[in-house]
Amino acid sequence: MAPSAITEPTPVVSSKDRVLVKPWSRPPPTTEKLDWAPLVEINLSRFDEPGGKQELARQLYDAVTKVGFWVVTNTGIDDAKVLRQFSIGNAFFKEPLEEKRIFPCNFAQGEYFGYRENSRWVGDTGIKENVEMLNIPKPIPVHEKLPKHRIVEQNYEEIASFHRELWHKVARKLFVLIAIILELPEDYLVNAHSYEEDSDDHLRYMIYNVRTREEWEKALNYSNGGHTDFGSLTLLYAQNVAGLQIQTHDGNWKWVKPVQGGITCNLGDTLTFLTKGFLKSTIHRVVAPPADQINIPRLGLLYFSRPGRNAIIKPVPSPLLDRLGLLTDEDKDPNKPVITGTDYVRARVKDVHHKTVLDNREGTSFEFKGLKVSNYYK
């Protein structure tokens, strides 16, 4: 069984007690020579320059249509704020299990807000998953009555500010660039993913707890395939412990290198659906860290943007997609029944996570009201 993030027993304390948030710093990068994926870097400081958005969209074109992954830099978000969020996440995972369990993810309803425990078994391997997560929804009125863990409650103003800043300074700008690529109005995708509207967007603290090499091998031998993300856009802050790989066009796996001060970005399934496959939701996976990092917990700070409750999953009216012959008469039919982004994402979350054993789904697919995606790619 994978060791817990808690290295020593933690006494049960009152929910009113202040949680000590110790400063966290990134561990040293690996010194091993890994086969890194070549990812384009998008310098967001140029976004507001004359012609800047158009130039950045040109640079981003191949990344979103062929690779699905890229890196953004110079976001305007102070790295001290980023490290503070890592520190809060690290402190949360050291909390007593009793405290972490006060607000669990409601996978039975496909809801991903709250705490995901590392409780699922990996098939019949005798190994449990080693990942824990805390997913914090947007600080908007519709979510204000949701439960909060004490560390979130105590630091909520700071967390909410970072949550909102990350959306406006990074996610929003990327949706503008993608709209430019698709020759849509610049605010088209921003409106479909509006921060103020109800959606399952969340800021995530995540940790891959330490496993032995043998435990990693047993788990990965059972299922070493990758996955695609459920929503539209994923932002992953650099933290230096290698473990993420993407599948390239030729079917090979390459490592994703953490970029100092950068955010690794990738597209999810709903943007692929909205563009008839033109935008790529890339297959990726998490593997054992290299030997010089295998005993370091892999702490993560991410943001997931998902289409809102009122955003329909229907091919966008892109002049570019139309010229490419990707839009059919049925796609343009205003009377065709459609589902919302929240409907799809929650159905997928329920299908993948509402279980006690992680089953091997190589070669299978998930389908929901005409939307189909493959499971567990090799």
Side-chain angles (χ1 to χ4, degrees), residues 230-247:
F230 305 162
S232 295
L233 183 63
T234 302
L235 310 177
L236 169 65
Y237 266 102
Q239 45 68 54
N240 282 350
V241 179
L244 178 63
Q245 294 183 338
I246 64 172
Q247 191 176 60

Side-chain angles (χ1 to χ4, degrees), residues 62-181:
D62 280 353
V64 296
T65 60
K66 298 178 181 178
V67 182
F69 267 73
W70 67 96
V71 175
V72 296
T73 57
N74 296 315
T75 63
I77 300 176
D78 193 322
D79 196 52
K81 293 182 179 179
V82 176
L83 290 175
R84 172 65 178 174
Q85 292 302 308
F86 272 111
S87 299
I88 293 171
N90 191 49
F92 169 78
F93 293 118
K94 295 180 184 296
E95 285 277 84
L97 188 56
E98 177 186 66
E99 163 64 17
K100 290 189 282 189
R101 282 176 169 170
I102 68 166
F103 179 23
C105 297
N106 185 3
F107 289 139
Q109 298 299 320
E111 297 174 3
Y112 221 155
F113 300 147
Y115 172 61
R116 174 182 163 188
E117 189 174 340
N118 54 341
S119 58
R120 283 195 309 187
W121 295 96
V122 180
D124 58 359
T125 63
I127 305 295
K128 279 190 175 180
E129 288 186 306
N130 65 330
V131 63
E132 296 177 74
M133 302 176 186
L134 175 60
N135 300 317
I136 303 172
K138 297 182 293 189
I140 58 175
V142 72
H143 297 148
E144 64 184 11
K145 293 184 179 180
L146 289 176
K148 294 182 180 67
H149 291 85
R150 62 179 189 155
I151 194 170
V152 175
E153 186 74 50
Q154 292 167 8
N155 298 278
Y156 191 64
E157 184 176 342
E158 191 175 358
I159 293 169
S161 175
F162 181 81
H163 204 297
R164 189 176 290 274
E165 186 175 16
L166 186 53
W167 158 260
H168 283 286
K169 290 187 175 179
V170 184
R172 178 187 64 84
K173 291 180 179 180
L174 290 174
F175 282 128
V176 169
L177 298 182
I178 295 170
I180 291 172
I181 290 171

Side-chain angles (χ1 to χ4, degrees), residues 3-67:
S4 167
I6 305 170
T7 56
E8 297 179 359
T10 304
V12 177
V13 292
S14 168
S15 61
K16 296 180 181 179
D17 289 344
R18 190 77 188 177
V19 181
L20 177 62
V21 178
K22 295 182 179 179
W24 178 91
S25 58
R26 297 178 181 90
T30 180
T31 59
E32 292 196 15
K33 295 186 181 299
L34 303 180
D35 188 10
W36 301 111
L39 300 182
V40 66
E41 291 189 21
I42 301 297
N43 180 354
L44 283 183
S45 69
R46 300 193 57 196
F47 185 86
D48 292 318
E49 295 178 358
K53 292 193 292 284
Q54 289 69 28
E55 174 59 22
L56 291 177
R58 186 192 66 77
Q59 294 174 15
L60 188 60
Y61 185 96
D62 280 353
V64 296
T65 60
K66 298 178 181 178
V67 182

Side-chain angles (χ1 to χ4, degrees), residues 210-221:
V210 172
R211 275 177 172 161
T212 65
R213 180 68 65 182
E214 180 183 13
E215 287 171 330
W216 272 108
E217 288 176 355
K218 285 183 179 180
L220 294 176
N221 283 339

